[in-house]
Amino acid sequence: MTVGVETAALESLVAELQQENPQGYGYLSGYWDDARQGLDNTDRNYARVSHIYENIPDPQIGTRGLGQTLVLLAEFDVLSILTNRNNATIYDLTTYDADRLRAIGRLLDAQ
C-alpha cells in the first residue's frame, strides 16, 4: 500500500470514529501520545494495561481510559488483543505498529 493510500485510509477511519463514536474519538485524540509512550517503553511482548501504564513517564490518563484507548488502537490495527476478559485484557505487543500509531497521531493533532 502506498503512503497516500494509507493516509487516506487512516483519515477515513479517524473521520468515521469521530462521527460514530465521539467519546472514543475524544479518548484517542486526547491520549494517543500517552498510549504511544507506554507502548514504546514497555519491554514485554504481551502486556496488561497496568504494565503499559507504568511505562508512561507523566500520564495524563488513568488506567481505565488507557484501556479504552488501547482497544481503539487495536481496532485501528496498531496492536492486537490476545485475550479479552473482564479486567484481564492482554495486548499482543508483537504486532505493535509504531509507525501506524504515529501516522494516526499526526492526523489527530492536525484536526
Side-chain angles (χ1 to χ4, degrees), residues 25-71:
Y25 175 83
Y27 274 109
L28 195 57
S29 66
Y31 305 115
W32 76 268
D33 194 51
D34 273 9
R36 181 198 57 79
Q37 291 177 56
L39 291 166
D40 286 349
N41 294 327
T42 299
D43 61 356
R44 297 171 182 247
N45 288 332
Y46 304 96
R48 292 190 171 135
V49 170
S50 59
H51 300 136
I52 297 167
Y53 185 81
E54 67 190 21
N55 288 287
I56 302 171
D58 184 25
Q60 304 300 307
I61 191 172
T63 54
R64 187 173 190 170
L66 178 61
Q68 294 200 5
T69 302
L70 292 172
V71 167

